[in-house]
Amino acid sequence: MVINSEPRGASQPRTNNNDLVENRKMNNTLRVVDNRTGNEYVLPIEKNSINAMSFKQMKAPQNVDVPCDQTEYGIRVYDPGFGNTAVSESTITYNDGLKGILSYRGFDIGDLVTKKGFIDTQYLLLWGHLPSPQEKEKWQRDLASIPKPPKSVFNVIRSFSPDSPPMSMIVAGLSALQASQKEFTPAYMARDLYLKNTGLVDSQCVHVLASMAMISAASYCHHSGHKFNEPDPNMGYVENMLWMMNHVDPATGRPNPKYVRCVEKLWILIADHEMTCSTAALLQTASSLPDALSALISAVSAFYGILHGGALEVAYKNIAEVGSTDNAQAKIDRVKRKEERLFGYGHRIYRVTDPRAVFIKEMLNELKDEVDRDPLLKVAFAIDDIAQKDEYFTTRGLKPNADLFATFVYKAMGFPADFILPMTVMSRTQGLIAHWKEAMSGSARIWRPQQLYKGEFGKKIDD
């Protein structure tokens, strides 16, 4: 097969606008010659992409020796792990890892974190625009109006041993909540409930976000032995979350305002990151048209994997195993000899400094007293200091993941290492639910990828 992009002329004669449009359309094509058949195809390039279904027309006679190649059905696009495949269109988040750009709904992340609050960003992700003062006030009232999950949800969480992984408690709590709301489950109700049903979708967004905060707080309290505080409708979303978790200043009995500000900033920075593994898991599930909680459970479960969000927990526990700053160099040496991995370094997207990192480091400076009191954080920064100067890391562009530095912020604020990942999931829930809402405004099309069969063929059982 020969593939050529249509060349753009070095110089073009003056022409009218209609001709320019036509020329642009002709130039934005890909010319393909299938050497198996000699057939030539011209495929349109839109948004620097080719519709994969265009290749289905490129058929060849059946390969009788390897019939499972299905050559007569058209060419398939092989892309393990979606490394170069766009699976959906979205208006929510844009990032450019080569230029260090991250924006929500067109607003640069730096503008949002320095000029707006978390509630503004949460609203922006879901509704597509920054709220007016009246919209912001109503949004906070809507979130505060959601009642506590039923007792059965709390009983499920408390059925776990307190030393169980909090992520497991959260997934179970979400499942228990879904089971208690059968009328919002499409299969149980025997009909589609959500596709293009804007009113129900919007109400579910509010319900899921408020319920996720309460379920996460209850899981934290059960895991840590803290008393669960009843939600306070007069508090903001993040402050109320810390209040329910009983993560309060002993001197005042209320959440520390400095910690509330830090968590809000973190949750702005980590709220969404475009098509991550967990976002894809959510959308894959959502494509079969279940309820929002089912899709969120898929996303949370994907996030727990050690190649995704779970890497943060692994990284932190690995740092704890280093023990002291004296052992930091030995850890780096083992990584360079490929005896160990340094979880939390390197990023699938960014090849330059993560645009979120500068703001997270500012927060760590604000929490300097807390950082200085934590010996584990001293080890983490010692490892980072060595890695940032070591040629092995610098030449490979291996920089610390911004999410890793976010774990340091949580740790400085007193969160246990095994609840840092649930806090990160809480921040991501805003973006995940925004993607679910966007998917429900589209068309019904289940995600059904193909595979390339490489097993044996034509085997028979002896008589």
Side-chain angles (χ1 to χ4, degrees), residues 292-358:
L293 287 168
S294 294
L296 182 60
I297 289 167
S298 292
V300 173
S301 300
F303 196 80
Y304 200 22
I306 64 170
L307 293 184
H308 193 15
L312 305 176
E313 190 167 324
V314 175
Y316 211 87
K317 291 177 178 178
N318 283 355
I319 290 169
E321 292 171 359
V322 174
S324 73
T325 56
D326 294 337
N327 300 326
Q329 183 62 59
K331 169 69 174 179
I332 292 294
D333 292 341
R334 290 193 296 274
V335 171
K336 289 162 65 176
R337 293 195 298 267
K338 303 189 185 304
E339 296 172 4
E340 298 179 7
R341 290 186 64 174
L342 189 58
F343 281 88
Y345 278 73
H347 198 283
R348 175 93 175 251
I349 298 297
Y350 294 110
R351 295 297 178 265
V352 295
T353 300
D354 188 323
R356 303 168 295 176
V358 61

Side-chain angles (χ1 to χ4, degrees), residues 104 109-125 130-131 136 139-140 237-238 260-261 263-269 271 430:
Y104 301 154
I109 193 70
D111 262 3
L112 291 170
V113 79
T114 56
K115 300 175 183 177
K116 290 294 178 180
F118 173 72
I119 286 293
D120 300 289
T121 304
Q122 187 183 54
Y123 191 98
L124 171 70
L125 287 167
L130 290 167
K136 183 175 179 178
W139 174 239
Q140 294 189 92
Y237 188 82
V238 170
V260 172
R261 287 196 306 272
V263 173
E264 287 194 343
K265 286 184 178 181
L266 275 182
W267 284 14
I268 291 172
L269 295 168
Q430 335 305 317

